[in-house]
Amino acid sequence: MYEKEVEEELRRWQRRIKKRPSRLSSKTKEWQNKINDRLPAVYHQTATICVQKTIEAVLAGNTFVTKEPEEKPMTLKECDDEVRRLFQLYRRTAVFEGIGTGAGGVLLGLSDFPLLLSIKFKALFATAAAYGYSPKEESERQLILLIFQLAYSSGDDRAELLEAISDHLEQRLLATDWQALQLRYRDYIDVPKMFQLIPGFGAVVGGAVNHTLLEKLEETAMNVYRMRWLNRLNMQ
């Protein structure tokens, strides 16, 4: 049965999320902080402003319009397959966008931030609709932002965010620190995106990094909505 296979996949995914960071991860974080200190101020300003404006737009619900959720009943497998199809398209778009902006050096490389953020949130809004939920609902948009945070966080933050998502799915809505979201996301992608600013070489990096970032988002979003689906089944 498909749901049983999904339950086992979810358990493995949740164990990875809750696993404490290794010493290597801590060292990597220290190295990343040193790299961040050397990046130009315009880089940090662009990243922070783009993420802040995107979060505000998502919370306000005035952008990233997607089609309405399907009215006909679908199985979990059909929903999963639809999301895989959607992310295949969004990954392709992100790769081409990364190659194009990475080829142009610093100025075009910086333009990758708003473009890539838009692709990611369009994918998340489409994912919600594929599983039968409307992003027009404020609570759904908040869940989308939590999924985004979980996908691009590291260390102990991951276990805390998974718990926050579980609370959200059980209607125990908590206040969320959206400022922390901005910092987590920026820190998560700073090092790989730094290499994208190098003319020529940045095209290769941009395409590869964007592909990986969309894969990470797909895995996280699918598993959260699978959790929701199975929770609903267990409550029936």
Side-chain angles (χ1 to χ4, degrees), residues 102-214:
V106 175
L107 292 179
L108 274 179
L110 289 175
S111 70
D112 176 68
F113 272 95
L115 293 173
L116 184 59
L117 274 171
S118 178
I119 293 170
K120 288 173 178 174
F121 278 103
K122 285 178 181 177
L124 286 173
F125 272 54
T127 297
Y131 283 101
Y133 299 97
S134 174
K136 291 181 179 179
E137 301 293 330
E138 182 180 356
S139 63
E140 197 64 37
R141 297 196 302 275
Q142 290 178 348
L143 177 62
I144 284 171
L145 286 169
L146 287 171
I147 293 171
F148 181 82
Q149 284 193 84
L150 180 58
Y152 303 119
S153 61
S154 57
D156 294 330
D157 289 339
R158 291 168 61 78
E160 293 177 8
L161 284 166
L162 182 60
E163 184 176 352
I165 286 173
S166 297
D167 287 339
H168 192 99
L169 296 181
E170 295 177 18
Q171 302 302 309
R172 296 196 300 267
L173 305 185
L174 303 174
T176 303
D177 186 351
W178 302 121
Q179 179 69 26
L181 187 158
Q182 298 175 40
L183 297 175
R184 284 183 184 126
Y185 177 69
R186 198 191 70 186
D187 289 348
Y188 186 92
I189 67 171
D190 266 348
V191 173
K193 284 300 180 183
M194 176 190 67
F195 294 104
Q196 189 175 340
L197 303 181
I198 304 173
F201 179 67
V204 178
V205 175
V209 169
N210 284 5
H211 185 279
T212 300
L213 291 173
L214 264 292

Side-chain angles (χ1 to χ4, degrees), residues 217-235:
L217 190 64
E218 177 184 6
E219 177 191 44
T220 306
M222 280 188 64
N223 280 323
V224 169
Y225 280 100
R226 285 168 156 187
M227 285 171 54
R228 192 180 202 177
W229 185 288
L230 295 175
N231 286 348
R232 187 176 62 187
L233 280 182
N234 292 333
M235 292 175 61

Side-chain angles (χ1 to χ4, degrees), residues 94-106:
V95 167
F96 287 133
E97 181 269 316
I99 291 173
T101 56
V106 175

